[in-house]
Amino acid sequence: MVEEIGKTAEGDLIINVGPQHPATHGVLHLVITLNGETIKKVEPHLGYIHRSIEKMCESLTYRQFIYSTSRMDYLSAHINNHACALTVEKGLGVEIPARAQVIRVLMDELTRIASHELWWGAMAMDLGAFTPFFHAFRERESINDIMEETCGARLTMNYMVPGGVMVDLHPNFQNRVKSFLKLYKQKIHEYDELVTGNIIFQNRMKGVGILSKEAAISYGVTGPAARGSGVSCDIRKLYPYEIYNTLDFEEVLETAGDSYARYLVRLREMNESIKIIEQLIDNIPEGDFQAKTKAVLKLPKGEFYQRVETARGELGVYIVSEGGTTPYRIKFRSPGFSNLSCLDHITRGGKIGDLIASMGTLDLVIPDIDR
Amino acid sequence: MFSLESLTTLVQDWLNKTFPPTIALLFEFVIVGVLAIALFAALGLVLVIMERKVAAWIQIRLGPNRVGPKGMFQSAADTVKLIMKEGLTPDGADKFLFNLAPFIVMMVAMLVLAPIGFAKGFHIWDINIGVLYVSAISSVSVIGILMAGWASNNKYSLLGAMRSGAQMVSYELSVGLSVLSIIVLTGSLNINDIVLSQQTGWWIFKAHIPAIISFVIFIIAVTAETNRAPFDLSEAESELTAGFHTEYSGMKFALFFLAEYINIFIVCAIGATLFLGGWMPFHIGNWESFNHIMDYIPSFLWFFGKTFFLIFLIMWFRWTFPRLRVDQLLNLEWKYLLPISMVNLILMTLIAIKGWHF
Amino acid sequence: MLNEEIKTIISELLPNASFEETGEWLNIGIEASNWKESANTLRYCEAKPFNFLFCLTCVDWKTHFTMVYHLRSTTTLDNIVVKIKLDREKPEIITVSDMWLGAELFEREVYDLFGVIFLEHPDLRRLLLTDDWVGYPLRKDYEDPINMIKL
């Protein structure tokens, strides 16, 4: 049976998983070839939510195009905006005030926690446990409230602008974040009790969807998915931006490379984000929240590339400028796109249930893949 | 002491006095039929709202709370909606089998109801092979599910039916063996006899650890046999969208849905009868006065209380556990549950022969 | 490592390459004809295997296309950018999806949006757009009056 895997034969069952399917969390379309319950091949078909953001950005100014990136990876909209703002700032050579840097990092980490919370709930739901989803949303909701108060939006914040952040923090911000931290610490043990320690869950995850270190590098997998395979790829550590080099946090690494390792990485990453927030929340420096920039931004001729660590991995923004007010060419290297490319590799030979578990731990956000 | 037995005797005596015996029997059929269908409808409504409330309670939310007081009429409203909906039949489907399948599943659920003793002297058919009848008939429902999966002409349905077939056929063994381990103690397949044998205490307390083991195995296996999470592979939502009933809509879907709940009720009733004494009140050995106080609680309350406790247990499983994978599901049965229940049966036989139970 | 040092190492490995140091990272210009060998050298070189292809894209310069490969070495954390000019009328280049497996999807995307043909690609089909789509949207001369992308 094993040598047949990868080849299709007559009598194989070909199933369309998606574009409307409960486990694909969006409009991902997978064509899977099955032999009984065993997966022989997984082929992703993309483009159901392709909006050609890259083309749209070519006719938007450097202030405008940032907003369209919130719609890519909507779960880490902040971090997408951050990457774009950083790229434009790199081109302009603007110095960002210290307060703005701290606010940005705080917001990034809150977004990361919110994103991982949602992933945790959704992944447990993929495995058939419905309850964790609601428990995750309990904490995520309080982050959304914090976002709403300061940024005015709960999902697509559009809070980062070239030069800093759009408005100053809400006076309530620190208190709310502190009460969130308190809530989180009270509740985080429930996550382990409800899901991590469950014997069925562990059997579903351990040894499933194994991604070796070499394969992870070769497929360009980044973020928690790659760190579960032991690839050190946290941009915050490797190529620090903003004030990440002054902060005390660890890059979470696991070596097993299976779904369970990826799961553990994300859970522990939430704790690292909490650590970062705790370091910063009482030390927000006074001062401007935005550097003085011109009303119409013009980037010099050249190419600018900036990458950040989103909740899903490495997001790169590549701007080619001809010196005008709009980018000549813009490319978003989205983490989901590369993470998806390894799906076939890690699921071949597994069962349908394994496909769902592996897909859950890759944490795919479809608009991020299609852009 | 309020008893349903007097009621049934009253009705039967009156019918037999008024009509010739054949007509009286026919009337009894009609009454039983109406009562069974009414029980079905009531159980469907109650269990659905119960499931939703239990789920809401576990998931830190309120659950249905708009229709009626505390949302109690929610499932009635849902039923009306389902009746109004169009029952679609897909183009490529085998129309006859497709439309037949939900009725088969439903009929099986109805038939199994026959020998269950709801209260003292209150059952539809006091058959002397009651337990055998239940386990024989309940395995027919897999045919309905396979039929639904095959006739839908949908690959998800087919996979769901395939899984369901494998699952129900294998878990039946464990159910059978754990039921047998109580049968060796009672020496009778008659459900009434089984209940009466627990006059001095329920089997789960009287027959030491083997009874507890077979109770646990029974609960696991019936959860699997009724396709409930964590064994809901045949309709695994996140894998197969809805498994064997993907293509069903309207009332035909509702029949599957109802049959699932009725099946849960029936297996829990069987579990309550075998292990927890059925309608028998909680008795301890020869504490006469204590037993007498317990007898004041009507027997149907005991029966429904125990059954609903077991139903709650199964709902609790559903909302806490993730789903197993298909190979793990079969491993669990063939490598763990079946050998354990076999050894357990031998132990139980030893206990029965030696008379070590209380 | 400084760009200068990377430059010395790579100029030994790839004698035909041209260099440009305007940006943040070292830009290496390579001819399309010997890209396969050069890619192989960069991917498997002893001192600095550029084993991580983190971005692959294309830029339409109206007169020609430029393929842009962003490479990183996961051991030494150095970054380089490889640029290959392509003929706009007949854009063809050899695939690198056998060396960097992740390139397969990237190349399909570039084929989809720019029309660059990747020779020997295992599965070169449209990725994001429908199979019957006419034209390549990210080319600068692409006009679509129905689906207005330009604002």
Side-chain angles (χ1 to χ4, degrees):
Chain A
M1 197 73 97
V2 179
E3 66 274 5
E4 282 177 20
I5 289 162
K7 280 184 239 156
T8 52
E10 209 167 314
D12 282 350
L13 195 60
I14 295 172
I15 290 193
N16 288 298
V17 176
Q20 312 294 339
H21 189 274
T24 54
H25 303 296
V27 284
L28 180 63
H29 179 191
L30 301 172
V31 179
I32 58 176
T33 310
L34 290 175
N35 182 351
E37 281 263 352
T38 313
I39 291 171
K40 293 173 90 176
K41 196 173 163 213
V42 178
E43 193 188 337
H45 284 205
L46 307 178
Y48 288 91
I49 192 163
H50 176 63
R51 294 145 295 177
S52 207
I53 287 180
E54 289 173 13
K55 182 80 173 178
M56 272 156 63
C57 290
E58 285 176 13
S59 53
L60 293 171
T61 68
Y62 288 112
R63 281 196 190 283
Q64 289 169 337
F65 90 93
I66 293 180
Y67 305 132
S68 61
T69 61
S70 307
R71 277 82 184 165
M72 290 182 351
D73 180 354
Y74 50 84
L75 292 179
S76 41
H78 248 307
I79 313 180
N80 288 359
N81 296 160
H82 194 172
C84 298
L86 278 173
T87 323
V88 174
E89 282 153 13
K90 192 184 251 181
L92 293 170
V94 186
E95 194 69 20
I96 311 144
R99 183 177 174 83
Q101 293 201 12
V102 172
I103 294 174
R104 281 179 171 190
V105 170
L106 271 173
M107 287 301 191
D108 275 10
E109 296 309 317
L110 282 174
T111 312
R112 198 183 311 281
I113 295 171
S115 171
H116 284 351
E117 298 266 14
L118 181 74
W119 157 81
W120 182 78
M123 194 216 53
M125 203 158 76
D126 285 349
L127 294 178
F130 288 83
T131 305
F133 193 70
F134 292 90
H135 286 245
F137 261 61
R138 178 184 53 191
E139 276 84 64
R140 188 172 179 271
E141 201 63 14
S142 60
I143 295 181
N144 278 351
D145 288 344
I146 295 169
M147 295 291 183
E148 188 182 11
E149 208 170 47
T150 293
C151 319
R154 292 163 71 84
L155 201 64
T156 49
M157 291 79 158
N158 303 328
Y159 186 54
M160 311 277 183
V161 292
V165 293
M166 192 177 268
V167 287
D168 207 353
L169 287 177
H170 192 271
N172 230 347
F173 180 78
Q174 273 168 313
N175 288 336
R176 283 205 107 143
V177 172
K178 277 178 194 161
S179 61
F180 162 71
L181 291 177
K182 226 170 111 188
L183 172 80
Y184 179 85
K185 285 189 173 154
Q186 279 170 3
K187 303 290 185 189
I188 188 67
H189 68 98
E190 287 185 4
Y191 288 40
D192 289 337
E193 287 163 13
L194 191 57
V195 174
T196 318
N198 189 309
I199 181 85
I200 300 175
F201 175 77
Q202 293 198 353
N203 282 334
R204 283 291 301 273
M205 301 295 267
K206 277 185 183 164
V208 165
I210 294 176
L211 179 67
S212 69
K213 190 173 177 178
E214 289 71 32
I217 293 171
S218 188
Y219 276 106
V221 179
T222 50
R227 288 198 281 281
S229 306
V231 184
S232 169
C233 60
D234 194 335
I235 304 297
R236 294 175 294 172
K237 279 280 182 200
L238 301 186
Y239 307 101
Y241 51 98
E242 303 286 18
I243 51 164
Y244 276 114
N245 49 0
T246 63
L247 295 171
D248 169 39
F249 68 101
E250 274 168 40
E251 177 177 8
V252 184
L253 282 178
E254 288 279 335
T255 48
D258 56 2
S259 295
Y260 192 61
R262 294 193 280 272
Y263 169 84
L264 287 182
V265 166
R266 283 210 177 78
L267 264 197
R268 280 165 56 199
E269 215 165 72
M270 290 206 282
N271 292 336
E272 294 302 317
S273 292
I274 289 285
K275 220 158 97 184
I276 294 175
I277 295 171
E278 277 176 338
Q279 287 168 47
L280 292 177
I281 190 65
D282 283 321
N283 306 315
I284 304 176
E286 294 298 317
D288 290 337
F289 57 87
Q290 206 180 54
K292 285 213 158 42
T293 46
K294 284 181 188 159
V296 179
L297 300 177
K298 273 189 184 176
L299 257 63
K301 194 168 164 25
E303 291 167 14
F304 310 98
Y305 192 100
Q306 175 67 43
R307 51 202 160 182
V308 297
E309 181 77 15
T310 75
R312 260 146 285 279
E314 176 182 337
L315 172 74
V317 181
Y318 176 57
I319 295 181
V320 180
S321 168
E322 282 286 82
T325 55
T326 58
Y328 183 75
R329 163 92 174 102
I330 197 158
K331 158 82 185 167
F332 299 108
R333 183 262 185 234
S334 58
F337 189 80
S338 297
N339 289 2
L340 174 74
S341 66
C342 77
L343 186 64
D344 181 38
H345 173 77
I346 65 175
T347 49
R348 271 191 191 182
K351 300 274 183 288
I352 301 175
D354 294 341
L355 169 76
I356 307 299
S358 312
M359 202 155 64
T361 49
L362 286 179
D363 194 11
L364 303 171
V365 168
I366 314 308
D368 183 40
I369 298 168
D370 283 359
R371 279 157 294 145
Chain B
M1 193 173 74
F2 176 74
S3 162
L4 289 173
E5 198 177 7
S6 48
L7 200 71
T8 48
T9 337
L10 199 76
V11 171
Q12 193 175 4
D13 288 348
W14 182 77
L15 280 172
N16 279 326
K17 255 188 279 173
T18 329
F19 302 103
T22 326
I23 306 285
L25 195 65
L26 277 177
F27 266 113
E28 277 174 22
F29 277 173
V30 170
I31 292 171
V32 164
V34 168
L35 279 181
I37 290 169
L39 179 74
F40 266 41
L43 273 180
L45 298 181
V46 169
L47 288 176
V48 170
I49 194 79
M50 176 178 165
E51 169 115 85
R52 295 180 68 169
K53 283 288 182 189
V54 168
W57 177 63
I58 291 174
Q59 295 173 345
I60 46 172
R61 57 190 175 88
L62 290 175
N65 59 358
R66 295 285 144 163
V67 189
K70 303 224 177 231
M72 284 305 156
F73 299 145
Q74 182 67 50
S75 40
D78 286 347
T79 315
V80 172
K81 183 204 79 175
L82 282 169
I83 291 170
M84 306 288 266
K85 273 176 94 169
E86 184 186 357
L88 287 169
T89 308
D91 235 5
D94 184 330
K95 294 207 169 45
F96 176 67
L97 290 184
F98 182 84
N99 291 317
L100 184 64
F103 293 100
I104 290 211
V105 174
M106 196 63 197
M107 276 190 285
V108 169
M110 279 185 156
L111 284 176
V112 182
L113 211 58
I116 289 171
F118 291 96
K120 196 175 178 192
F122 190 79
H123 27 55
I124 297 172
W125 186 20
D126 191 10
I127 180 178
N128 59 352
I129 48 160
V131 176
L132 179 68
Y133 173 87
V134 167
S135 54
I137 296 291
S138 66
S139 51
V140 176
S141 73
V142 70
I143 292 176
I145 288 178
L146 279 175
M147 216 182 244
W150 179 258
S152 293
N153 192 25
N154 176 319
K155 289 166 184 171
Y156 285 124
S157 305
L158 183 60
L159 271 175
M162 219 163 70
R163 286 175 170 192
S164 176
Q167 179 182 339
M168 288 172 94
V169 167
S170 25
Y171 275 83
E172 224 141 63
L173 296 171
S174 282
V175 177
L177 285 175
S178 52
V179 167
L180 265 187
S181 64
I182 294 300
I183 302 300
V184 294
L185 290 172
T186 59
S188 167
L189 288 167
N190 185 322
I191 284 188
N192 209 22
D193 288 351
I194 293 172
V195 175
L196 287 174
S197 70
Q198 303 180 65
Q199 182 88 50
T200 51
W202 305 343
W203 281 124
I204 192 167
F205 301 126
K206 284 207 298 182
H208 309 292
I209 293 175
I212 295 170
I213 294 175
S214 54
F215 178 66
V216 170
I217 289 175
F218 180 83
I219 290 292
I220 294 175
V222 298
T223 313
E225 209 179 311
T226 48
N227 290 329
R228 294 277 295 181
F231 306 102
D232 60 340
L233 282 118
S234 57
E235 48 194 287
E237 197 211 330
S238 55
E239 293 164 28
L240 305 178
T241 55
F244 64 89
H245 59 66
T246 306
E247 295 288 354
Y248 284 88
S249 64
M251 218 40 215
K252 279 181 261 175
F253 163 74
L255 286 184
F256 275 119
F257 199 61
L258 192 59
E260 184 189 321
Y261 283 100
I262 302 296
N263 278 329
I264 296 164
F265 176 80
I266 285 164
V267 294
C268 289
I270 299 287
T273 308
L274 291 174
F275 297 95
L276 304 177
W279 48 261
M280 186 61 72
F282 184 60
H283 286 174
I284 298 177
N286 41 15
W287 295 16
E288 291 299 334
S289 47
F290 177 81
N291 292 350
H292 202 64
I293 294 168
M294 282 295 162
D295 284 341
Y296 273 100
I297 301 173
S299 56
F300 71 91
L301 275 191
W302 279 106
F303 174 77
F304 280 101
K306 288 166 191 172
T307 308
F308 273 84
F309 167 71
L310 291 184
I311 291 173
F312 171 73
L313 212 62
I314 284 178
M315 285 178 179
W316 190 3
F317 291 161
R318 170 161 181 188
W319 298 109
T320 348
F321 288 136
R323 182 183 306 122
L324 274 83
R325 208 171 56 213
V326 65
D327 54 330
Q328 292 167 348
L329 177 91
L330 296 178
N331 277 352
L332 176 70
E333 164 64 20
W334 293 100
K335 291 188 181 164
Y336 300 99
L337 294 188
L338 190 60
I340 291 173
S341 42
M342 278 175 168
V343 173
N344 197 46
L345 182 59
I346 294 171
L347 279 178
M348 200 61 123
T349 319
L350 201 68
I351 289 175
I353 292 170
K354 292 278 180 187
W356 285 339
H357 57 85
F358 296 114
Chain C
M1 205 181 279
L2 292 169
N3 285 349
E4 281 299 317
E5 295 171 49
I6 305 172
K7 189 175 168 182
T8 40
I9 294 174
I10 289 177
S11 55
E12 281 170 28
L13 291 169
L14 307 171
N16 296 331
S18 60
F19 296 94
E20 191 192 331
E21 283 174 73
T22 49
E24 188 186 0
W25 300 320
L26 184 71
N27 286 320
I28 304 168
I30 293 176
E31 289 295 314
S33 52
N34 54 13
W35 168 227
K36 186 86 183 179
E37 298 83 69
S38 312
N40 211 28
T41 318
L42 288 171
R43 168 72 177 83
Y44 297 105
C45 76
E46 291 276 306
K48 215 182 271 300
F50 287 96
N51 49 3
F52 192 74
L53 175 79
F54 62 93
C55 189
L56 187 162
T57 190
C58 183
V59 182
D60 180 10
W61 290 104
K62 289 175 187 157
T63 52
H64 62 275
F65 285 145
T66 308
M67 288 296 301
V68 186
Y69 297 80
H70 285 81
L71 297 174
R72 177 158 100 214
S73 164
T74 50
T75 47
T76 59
L77 301 181
D78 293 312
N79 303 286
I80 53 168
V81 185
V82 175
K83 289 187 177 173
I84 300 161
K85 279 188 184 176
L86 296 182
D87 184 10
R88 202 168 184 282
E89 300 307 314
K90 194 167 171 280
E92 280 182 352
I93 189 168
I94 191 86
T95 178
V96 288
S97 59
D98 49 343
M99 281 173 258
W100 295 284
L101 295 169
E104 189 180 325
L105 275 190
F106 275 125
E107 287 179 347
R108 276 180 69 184
E109 190 195 4
V110 169
Y111 165 73
D112 193 0
L113 303 174
F114 285 93
V116 176
I117 309 284
F118 290 89
L119 304 168
E120 296 174 30
H121 189 279
D123 186 22
L124 197 64
R125 285 179 293 130
R126 291 256 187 201
L127 180 68
L128 298 169
L129 305 176
T130 49
D131 289 341
D132 54 353
W133 194 274
V134 181
Y136 302 101
L138 278 184
R139 288 191 181 187
K140 286 286 173 186
D141 55 2
Y142 177 83
E143 291 290 340
D144 189 344
I146 302 161
N147 305 306
M148 293 270 280
I149 318 176
K150 278 188 182 170
L151 298 173

